[in-house]
Amino acid sequence: MKRPWILLGLCLALLAGCSDAGKTPAASRPPGRTLVIGLIPEQNIFKQIERYQPLATYLRAKTGIALKLKVLSRYGNIIDNFKSAGLDGAFFGSFTYAIAHARMGLTVLARPEDANGISTYYGVLFVRKDSRIRGAEAMRGKRFAFVDKATTAGYLLPLEYFRKNRIADYRTYFREAYFAGTHEDAIYDVLNRKADVGAAKSTVYERLAVADGRITRDLLILARSPEVPENGLAVRGDIEESIKIALKVALIDMDKDPAGREVLEAFGARRFIATTDSDYKPVFDYARDARIDLARYDYRND
Amino acid sequence: MNRKIVAGLVVFLAVFLAGGAYVVISMESGSSRLDELIKLHQVENLREHYLVQIKRVQSDLALRNTRYSRTFDTVVADVVNMGRGVETCFQCHHSAAGESRLRELKDETEQYEEALSRVLTLRANESRLAAEEDNAFRRGEALMGKVRDMIAMTSARLGEKTHRSLEKIRNVKYVLYALFGISPLIAAGMAFAFLRGFGGSVKALRDATEKVKDGDLDQRVAGLRGEFGELAASFNQMADSLKDQMRTIRRTEQMVTLAELAAGLAHEIRNPIAGIKAAMKDLSREARLSEEDRNVVLQVLEEIAWLEALMRNFMNFAKPQRSAYAELNVNNMLDATLAFCLKHKGYGAAGWENVRIVKEYSPLPATAADPVQLQQVFLNLFLNAIDAMPAGGVLGIRTSVDESAKAIRVEISDTGRGTDDGASGSVSRPSAAASPNGTGLALTVSKLLIEKQGGTIGAVRIPDGGTVFTLRFPVRPPEQRAAS
């Protein structure tokens, strides 16, 4: 009498097993939806769109999640747009992520690693070699090109430099201090004598140096910041976990896929690596040293 | 005619293929030109569209910081669309010079984008902002100027190419009209030529055939060439043959009638002649008969013998006896017949006293022939020759072998007055007798006998006097006797 019940039980177990096996794991194939992803103006904003669009297309093909890119006119806009324009995530700079994390509890997923295995950058402070400016004292009365108040390399580094060199208020110390908006413009402003001193991130500086020999030949780096994580993708904390996992897995596995490798090469990276808040510790430390309260910091440019 | 048909078909096919090829090439060429024009229009449209996009971006720039300024996202979208506009141009095929101009355009577009990016992202004092905006605006204006120049150049090329293409298409149209007009005329001309060539020749042959059918055996076809000429020659040969056969048939019919008449007459005469002959023989043996009367009786008997010979010839002519072949030598047969004649000199009216016999025999192979009929032929010819020479002359007998034809040739000549009609080969009619005393039937019988043995007989008159009869009959090996 027991045998029929055992058989029924086995059949049910098999059916249950088959049913589970047929399901697509939520993590690997979430339901299709569109995420609006912000891009900071790290470089010429139109080149920035060109650089990130293939990556968005690849992620959509792999995950079914459409990424609508929204380029921003300034770094701090990301924080504003999360509230006003309904951004779901963004490729943050290290400082903007630190602010966003402090204020909105975002989750960072992954960041790129370059061909040399480096996934960090640092800020550089530079002048023209023929300017005779070799220190803070020589900068007095000159023109200073920041990038944005929400950048590590383009603002925090100079602030730290000013603090170390006892420059109390850069607005009065320099004849003119302005925000170029992009690292690229800050570099070219100094190179083209539109500014005397500039600050920018090392990865952009090095990328431009490869394309334009004048940068290495005519510019001189006076100071550099500690290394901070490269721009990574972070999403709102309330986004479904399955979407976060799908995006993270797709990014991290890109280098294992021939199509993904092609996209990575065009993007200028070897692969994406998993990233957590702990990777941003140098930024938090740097902000603390610069006496910046991330939760209250006014990132709007003057 | 086959050659004409093939040549006509080849010409027609060549004309058809040439016309077809021209039409296909013209259509291909015309569609290529239209395709090129469409592409040029597309290029012009693309450039116009690109110019509109630049203008739109320039207006975005001009309206910046006014109450009509467009949103940042709209401006970005406009600039992105402008960039895509120049990228679209690269999807078409261009010459090296065109490619170079497009690259310049793309570079200037990128510089314009950089200037715009700079304006959109810069946060600085008013003079710096104004300088960057001026820079971007100037770049935009320069870009628009360049695109306008390219549009003007494209328009000029388009106009020129349109004009040229329409001119070529018009020319092609005229040629096609001409082809459509001329082709039926060519086809009709070729059809007329063929019909005339075929129809005329066929009509000539048909008319000639109708006339022959109606009994005009002298109808001949002339003036045709090629295969029809060959057909006309065959037709003429056929008409000649038909005419000869008709003549032969008529003669045969006459001969048959004559033979039947002769046979009937001979049959009716033979019995009384036999009675007269018997009576004359009895009378000649009468002792009381004077010598003078006896000579008369003997003369009557000779005449009776001549009549009997004549009767036999009639009978042979009417109903020739069946040939009985035996192995013989023609030279021997000639000698035996000649000996018989000399022994019985009563044969032949003129006698043999003043006739000199000249024999030129060649060695002859043995052959199978009917000895009786052959002897009859030789005898007839000898007697005919003697009769032709009443005052004497030369009887020539010559034999030879025609190795190539494998035939025996016998010539029997006299130096007399020749045959009556003097024409060669006239031994077929009974009237062709050489002797005034003969009926001429002997020669006709001789011809029949020699032809029965597969031979021929002909006569040639010698201009200085005399006749040569030539017999020719095949050499039959003795073993063919049975078969014959």
Side-chain angles (χ1 to χ4, degrees):
Chain A
M1 282 299 286
K2 283 183 179 175
R3 234 176 234 177
W5 289 108
I6 293 168
L7 281 172
L8 181 63
L10 280 171
C11 288
L12 286 173
L14 276 170
L15 280 172
C18 291
S19 176
D20 286 345
K23 279 183 184 172
T24 303
S28 61
R29 198 75 179 174
R33 58 170 292 187
T34 299
L35 298 182
V36 182
I37 301 296
L39 297 177
I40 51 174
E42 184 184 14
Q43 58 180 348
N44 172 340
I45 55 174
F46 307 110
K47 283 185 183 170
Q48 189 77 335
I49 294 171
E50 282 179 20
R51 186 182 180 213
Y52 279 87
Q53 188 57 56
L55 186 61
T57 304
Y58 176 81
L59 289 175
R60 178 176 190 170
K62 283 291 170 186
T63 63
I65 303 165
L67 299 183
K68 183 181 176 186
L69 299 179
K70 181 177 173 64
V71 72
L72 304 168
S73 63
R74 53 189 94 149
Y75 277 69
N77 280 17
I78 282 190
I79 310 299
D80 296 334
N81 277 293
F82 262 95
K83 298 168 184 172
S84 62
L87 286 185
D88 297 304
F91 279 91
F92 281 97
S94 55
F95 189 45
T96 45
Y97 174 72
I99 297 170
H101 177 72
R103 298 189 182 188
M104 293 178 289
L106 297 186
T107 305
V108 65
L109 301 178
R111 69 181 192 279
E113 181 182 275
D114 71 10
N116 300 316
I118 298 169
S119 60
T120 57
Y121 70 90
Y122 50 88
V124 290
L125 196 141
F126 49 87
V127 295
R128 279 190 64 86
K129 285 180 182 174
D130 57 5
S131 68
R132 296 183 185 174
I133 299 171
R134 296 294 182 269
E137 189 57 33
M139 294 179 189
R140 186 188 297 275
K142 303 295 182 187
R143 297 166 297 174
F144 197 100
F146 295 101
V147 176
D148 192 288
K149 277 184 80 174
T151 63
T152 306
Y155 192 67
L156 283 189
L157 163 65
L159 285 191
E160 178 64 11
Y161 182 81
F162 298 155
R163 189 182 65 79
K164 284 181 180 172
N165 289 280
R166 296 191 181 85
I167 298 173
D169 185 357
Y170 65 82
R171 295 174 190 81
T172 56
Y173 191 77
F174 293 99
R175 174 157 53 98
E176 181 190 0
Y178 67 96
F179 296 92
T182 70
H183 295 277
E184 190 176 297
D185 286 335
I187 295 166
Y188 273 115
D189 276 1
V190 175
L191 185 68
N192 296 326
R193 302 179 197 279
K194 290 181 179 178
D196 301 307
V197 189
K201 66 190 291 187
S202 61
T203 48
V204 176
Y205 188 92
E206 287 160 4
R207 193 159 60 235
L208 291 179
V210 171
D212 190 342
R214 292 182 303 155
I215 290 171
T216 308
R217 190 187 67 204
D218 296 342
L219 297 185
L220 177 68
I221 295 173
L222 295 181
R224 53 172 286 177
S225 71
E227 291 188 355
V228 291
E230 179 59 284
N231 295 0
L233 175 63
V235 295
R236 282 190 288 114
D238 59 346
I239 295 284
E240 297 95 308
E241 202 60 27
S242 62
I243 290 179
K244 291 178 187 170
I245 293 170
L247 288 174
K248 189 167 187 171
V249 168
L251 284 168
I252 290 169
D253 288 346
M254 272 183 83
D255 61 314
K256 299 177 183 69
D257 176 21
R261 281 199 292 274
E262 278 185 28
V263 175
L264 281 171
E265 190 178 349
F267 186 78
R270 185 173 70 177
R271 60 173 182 161
F272 273 87
I273 58 172
T275 305
T276 60
D277 288 343
S278 61
D279 293 315
Y280 289 86
K281 185 175 180 299
V283 185
F284 296 131
D285 294 345
Y286 207 63
R288 190 187 61 241
D289 292 346
R291 295 187 180 85
I292 290 173
D293 179 0
L294 293 173
R296 294 200 177 101
Y297 177 66
D298 180 11
Y299 45 76
R300 292 178 183 81
N301 298 322
D302 296 330
Chain B
M1 189 52 66
N2 285 338
R3 283 195 298 273
K4 283 184 181 174
I5 292 171
V6 171
L9 283 175
V10 167
V11 169
F12 190 77
L13 194 64
V15 170
F16 181 78
L17 286 177
Y22 182 79
V23 170
V24 169
I25 290 168
S26 301
M27 288 175 69
E28 189 68 30
S29 168
S31 61
S32 296
R33 283 192 200 104
L34 288 175
D35 192 41
E36 197 177 350
L37 287 179
I38 288 168
K39 279 181 182 166
L40 275 175
H41 272 293
Q42 285 175 338
V43 168
E44 193 181 32
N45 284 340
L46 281 174
R47 289 177 181 175
E48 291 278 4
H49 184 61
Y50 182 49
L51 183 63
V52 169
Q53 285 171 327
I54 298 170
K55 284 180 180 173
R56 184 174 176 80
V57 173
Q58 282 290 79
S59 82
D60 289 343
L61 191 61
L63 294 173
R64 195 174 135 77
N65 297 325
T66 70
R67 58 185 177 138
Y68 304 108
S69 65
R70 297 181 179 120
T71 65
F72 175 78
D73 288 345
T74 303
V75 174
V76 168
D78 288 343
V79 176
V80 168
N81 285 336
M82 180 187 71
R84 285 178 187 152
V86 75
E87 286 295 335
T88 308
C89 295
F90 282 92
Q91 293 173 4
C92 303
H93 173 73
H94 294 96
S95 62
E99 188 91 10
S100 173
R101 279 198 298 275
L102 281 179
R103 294 221 169 276
E104 284 178 19
L105 193 67
K106 189 181 177 187
D107 289 344
E108 289 188 22
T109 304
E110 285 177 353
Q111 288 168 9
Y112 182 41
E113 284 180 357
E114 282 173 11
L116 289 167
S117 172
R118 176 100 175 125
V119 169
L120 293 172
T121 56
L122 181 67
R123 298 295 176 269
N125 58 39
E126 283 186 9
S127 63
R128 189 175 286 273
L129 283 170
E132 295 300 337
E133 284 176 358
D134 285 347
N135 177 47
F137 193 78
R138 276 197 306 275
R139 286 189 182 280
E141 288 297 307
L143 189 58
M144 279 201 296
K146 187 148 198 160
V147 174
R148 280 198 190 99
D149 289 344
M150 290 179 79
I151 290 171
M153 192 170 65
T154 307
S155 296
R157 275 181 59 204
L158 184 61
E160 187 186 337
K161 283 207 171 190
T162 303
H163 179 72
R164 277 209 309 267
S165 296
L166 288 176
E167 188 70 27
K168 285 183 179 174
I169 288 170
R170 199 160 31 247
N171 291 338
V172 167
K173 189 173 68 180
Y174 291 149
V175 172
L176 286 178
Y177 283 159
L179 276 177
F180 282 128
I182 290 170
S183 295
L185 292 178
I186 292 174
M190 289 179 71
F192 177 72
F194 276 116
L195 287 175
R196 192 176 172 193
F198 293 159
S201 301
V202 170
K203 186 175 182 304
L205 286 167
R206 191 187 62 208
D207 291 347
T209 306
E210 288 288 333
K211 286 180 180 172
V212 168
K213 187 186 79 178
D214 293 341
D216 181 4
L217 297 181
D218 292 325
Q219 183 62 39
R220 298 292 181 271
V221 180
L224 301 185
R225 288 179 297 182
E227 282 83 351
F228 279 114
E230 293 170 12
L231 191 57
S234 297
F235 177 86
N236 291 340
Q237 286 175 0
M238 182 192 73
D240 289 341
S241 175
L242 195 58
K243 189 176 178 182
D244 288 344
Q245 286 185 18
M246 287 301 291
R247 191 184 295 130
T248 305
I249 288 168
R250 275 199 294 274
R251 189 173 299 147
T252 304
E253 285 173 349
Q254 290 171 355
M255 298 290 281
V256 167
T257 304
L258 184 61
E260 287 173 352
L261 182 64
L265 188 62
H267 185 72
E268 291 300 323
I269 292 173
R270 194 165 56 180
N271 289 338
I273 291 287
I276 294 168
K277 185 180 178 183
M280 285 299 108
K281 278 187 177 176
D282 287 344
L283 188 60
S284 68
R285 285 193 289 269
E286 183 61 44
R288 291 174 297 172
L289 201 63
S290 67
E291 194 60 29
E292 186 180 1
D293 291 339
R294 191 179 307 279
N295 286 340
V296 171
V297 170
L298 289 174
Q299 195 171 355
V300 169
L301 282 170
E302 282 182 8
E303 293 301 324
I304 287 170
W306 182 81
L307 280 174
E308 284 178 337
L310 188 62
M311 291 303 109
R312 276 198 304 276
N313 278 340
F314 270 129
M315 295 302 286
N316 282 337
F317 177 68
K319 189 179 178 183
Q321 291 183 357
R322 190 179 179 82
S323 300
Y325 285 82
E327 182 182 350
L328 53 85
N329 185 289
V330 173
N331 287 342
N332 294 341
M333 286 296 300
L334 284 165
D335 284 339
T337 307
L338 195 58
F340 175 80
C341 289
L342 292 173
K343 185 176 178 183
H344 302 86
K345 288 184 177 176
Y347 284 106
W352 294 79
E353 285 76 13
N354 298 321
V355 174
R356 186 165 61 91
I357 298 169
V358 176
K359 295 193 287 189
E360 294 179 45
Y361 289 174
S362 296
L364 298 178
T367 185
D370 186 327
V372 176
Q373 290 179 355
L374 206 56
Q375 194 168 24
Q376 179 71 44
V377 171
F378 292 154
L379 180 62
N380 288 343
L381 291 177
F382 289 158
L383 293 176
N384 186 71
I386 296 301
D387 286 344
M389 298 182 291
V394 176
L395 172 65
I397 306 170
R398 178 186 292 172
T399 62
S400 60
V401 177
D402 187 347
E403 294 289 348
S404 61
K406 295 195 179 303
I408 293 171
R409 179 187 175 96
V410 178
E411 291 176 0
I412 298 172
S413 62
D414 61 63
T415 55
R417 58 182 173 276
T419 55
D420 286 349
D421 56 5
S424 62
S426 301
V427 290
S428 57
R429 288 179 288 117
S431 59
S435 168
N437 299 322
T439 60
L441 198 58
L443 291 180
T444 304
V445 170
S446 297
K447 182 174 184 299
L448 289 173
L449 294 177
I450 207 75
E451 285 177 351
K452 277 188 72 175
Q453 301 195 45
T456 59
I457 184 169
V460 175
R461 184 172 183 176
I462 301 168
D464 295 337
T467 304
V468 178
F469 288 88
T470 304
L471 291 86
R472 186 191 296 269
F473 43 89
V475 175
R476 282 195 180 89
E479 58 269 21
Q480 286 191 4
R481 279 183 307 174
S484 301

